[in-house]
Amino acid sequence: MSDMTPAIELKQVTARYHTKPVLQDVSLAIEAGDMVGVLGPNGAGKSTLFAVLSGLLPPASGSAQLFGTDLHRIPPRERARLIAVVPQDLDIPVPYTVEEVVMMGRTASLGRFSSPTAADHQSVERALVYTDVADIRRSPLNELSGGERQRAIVAMALAQEPRIILMDEATSHLDINHRLEIMQLVERLNRDNGVTVLMISHDLQIAAEFSRRLIVLDHGRLVADGPPAEVLTEDTLRRVYHCDVQVHQDPHSGGLSILAAPRLPAPNMGKGIHIHVVGGGGCGEPFLRRLVLCGYTVTCGVLNRGDLDAEVAEALGIEAVLEQPFSAIGPEAIRKSHEMALTARAVVLSPVPFGTGNLANLELLEAARNAGRPVFMAQGIEERDYTPGRSAVARVRALASCGAEYYRDSTDLLARLPSVGQA
């Protein structure tokens, strides 16, 4: 096997749960011995990526390889020797001791009905010492502190003697001290043993500190891939996480400092102010939610019944104009939504894709702008226009030339909307 063969290679992988695509056309290669952070908001496809890599979820299309061999041609027992998963927690109702749990890591190496050999015991002993849990080997796992318990779970993965470790938010429930302790341990395994590490993390600071490479997923697609300083830019983080952030790089150490924006504006900033939102396909959900939290009176439409935004609107008590499922927007729905838009103080276009079925929604924005209402449009229409002749791009640009404003994300939008006390 060539030394240049990647430890992991995905080629145009799409993965689904039932009929819903969760990963979409993802291609990447990870070299042996690399340490890679996997970032993205909830629902981005991170855990699905790990399910594919661990063999639990076959790709619907594309291929996944470990060290040059198609993952599903590798027998499960050998796959378990190649790759270990460290979860957030391990639910073991039986009061196994730390040593017994770590020995479970040798299961893939034992023959059926075989007892552990001297080599198995040596692997377990090495893992106990390496993770600093040898002195609590006889303690029941469920009686340990969070940091001790997680070190024992890492020891179980280490006892497998894998070539790849997948850490699925393995430090998310730990305090900062134990979080750093676990990460330093994994970093040492990576450096000293050459173990390839992929770690899902919601802690951008930790990911930037310990990863040599970062991968960012959003809505099942790969949107950024590279060194931390190139990936963790303010523009990328705002686009993916839909909030305002500030990124600073220390000129001496090169370390990154990532600061989130302060809390949402005052909860009564929108009291008595009507905002109409054009959404669809779940793209309006974060805007609907935040506008309601800030006290705005919100209306929405036109949406298809059963659409995620329609369900969100119903849950939040938002009045919405609805059309039949999978139907193009009809004249009666447009008339009702025109009434809503023209009584609103402002109209917001969420980052919704456009096809021929919902193109009529742009009439709302044009009518509102002609009536002198402020119109705010999500950036990036060029990437969301699926109409013949890209007519949505032309109409949105025409709106911008008539005074409609673009916004980056929900934080930027809230700063632009009319609010209580504003002149």
Side-chain angles (χ1 to χ4, degrees):
M1 184 179 298
S2 169
D3 290 339
M4 299 302 291
T5 302
I8 293 168
E9 187 168 17
L10 302 184
K11 297 179 180 178
Q12 296 180 306
V13 167
T14 292
R16 295 186 174 93
Y17 289 117
H18 303 295
T19 59
K20 180 182 179 182
V22 185
L23 281 183
Q24 302 185 59
D25 198 30
V26 173
S27 296
L28 57 88
I30 295 170
E31 301 304 320
D34 207 349
M35 190 156 177
V36 181
V38 181
L39 308 178
N42 292 330
K46 304 183 297 298
S47 293
T48 302
L49 172 65
F50 276 22
V52 169
L53 293 177
S54 59
L56 297 176
L57 181 65
S61 62
S63 66
Q65 296 183 342
L66 297 182
F67 299 102
T69 302
D70 189 279
L71 192 148
H72 288 281
R73 292 183 179 176
I74 303 173
R77 184 176 291 273
E78 175 160 348
R79 199 162 62 223
R81 285 197 289 264
L82 283 175
I83 195 163
V85 179
V86 182
Q88 294 183 39
D89 199 2
L90 194 61
D91 184 18
I92 301 180
V94 178
Y96 288 114
T97 66
V98 168
E99 188 169 16
E100 290 169 332
V101 168
V102 176
M103 181 59 79
M104 292 177 189
R106 299 300 300 164
T107 301
S109 299
L110 294 173
R112 183 175 292 182
F113 308 119
S114 298
S115 298
T117 65
D120 293 319
H121 283 291
Q122 185 179 12
S123 295
V124 168
E125 191 66 27
R126 184 165 52 244
L128 290 168
V129 171
Y130 218 138
T131 55
D132 196 23
V133 292
D135 59 334
I136 55 172
R137 67 176 69 219
R138 293 180 178 83
S139 300
L141 185 74
N142 55 16
E143 294 181 7
L144 300 181
S145 69
E148 292 170 332
R149 182 184 179 93
Q150 202 64 0
R151 286 207 310 273
I153 295 171
V154 173
M156 181 178 67
L158 182 57
Q160 288 181 232
E161 298 183 345
R163 297 175 68 183
I164 300 170
I165 292 180
L166 307 179
M167 300 180 63
D168 191 355
E169 298 185 51
T171 64
S172 62
H173 293 157
L174 303 182
D175 60 44
I176 187 62
N177 179 52
H178 288 128
R179 194 175 302 174
L180 290 170
E181 190 176 70
I182 291 294
M183 289 311 307
Q184 287 168 338
L185 166 63
V186 172
E187 184 180 50
R188 193 171 72 201
L189 297 177
N190 168 259
R191 182 185 63 240
D192 295 351
N193 294 23
V195 177
T196 306
V197 178
L198 269 75
M199 54 179 181
I200 293 173
S201 179
H202 283 297
D203 190 325
L204 303 183
Q205 200 74 53
I206 290 284
E209 178 71 21
F210 288 95
S211 303
R212 292 188 290 275
R213 173 183 172 190
L214 293 176
I215 290 168
V216 182
L217 296 172
D218 189 26
H219 292 96
R221 296 187 181 276
L222 184 65
V223 297
D225 182 357
E230 294 179 10
V231 169
L232 295 177
T233 65
E234 293 179 357
D235 284 346
T236 297
L237 295 177
R238 285 171 183 150
R239 177 162 45 92
V240 170
Y241 289 97
H242 306 292
C243 67
D244 204 10
V245 295
Q246 294 180 339
V247 179
H248 302 284
Q249 186 168 25
D250 188 291
H252 303 293
S253 68
L256 297 177
S257 174
I258 303 156
L259 302 174
R263 56 166 284 171
L264 285 172
N268 62 350
M269 67 170 284
K271 186 176 182 181
I273 299 174
H274 174 195
I275 305 294
H276 185 78
V277 177
V278 175
C283 297
E285 185 272 337
F287 304 94
L288 298 174
R289 173 166 41 83
R290 291 192 176 200
L291 288 169
V292 169
L293 286 172
C294 291
Y296 286 97
T297 299
V298 184
T299 55
C300 188
V302 179
L303 303 171
N304 291 101
R305 296 182 188 276
D307 184 282
L308 178 57
D309 282 348
E311 294 175 0
V312 169
E314 182 179 8
L316 296 177
I318 293 171
E319 185 180 0
V321 179
L322 302 178
E323 188 56 90
Q324 293 303 313
F326 309 110
S327 299
I329 297 173
E332 180 60 17
I334 280 292
R335 184 190 66 77
K336 290 180 180 178
S337 58
H338 270 230
E339 291 177 0
M340 285 183 177
L342 292 176
T343 58
R345 283 274 298 277
V347 177
V348 172
L349 174 63
S350 72
V352 59
F354 278 96
T356 53
N358 68 340
L359 189 62
N361 266 334
L362 289 179
E363 294 178 17
L364 307 182
L365 279 71
E366 292 160 349
R369 191 68 208 125
N370 290 336
R373 301 288 191 276
V375 171
F376 302 94
M377 307 181 298
Q379 292 177 347
I381 184 62
E382 294 79 8
E383 301 168 4
R384 307 191 306 271
D385 186 359
Y386 300 96
T387 62
R390 294 173 64 77
S391 56
V393 168
R395 293 173 71 169
V396 165
R397 288 177 178 172
L399 280 161
S401 69
C402 294
E405 298 181 29
Y406 291 112
Y407 66 89
R408 293 189 311 267
D409 48 44
S410 57
T411 302
D412 185 29
L413 173 64
L414 288 170
R416 295 169 181 267
L417 287 177
S419 60
V420 172
Q422 194 178 66

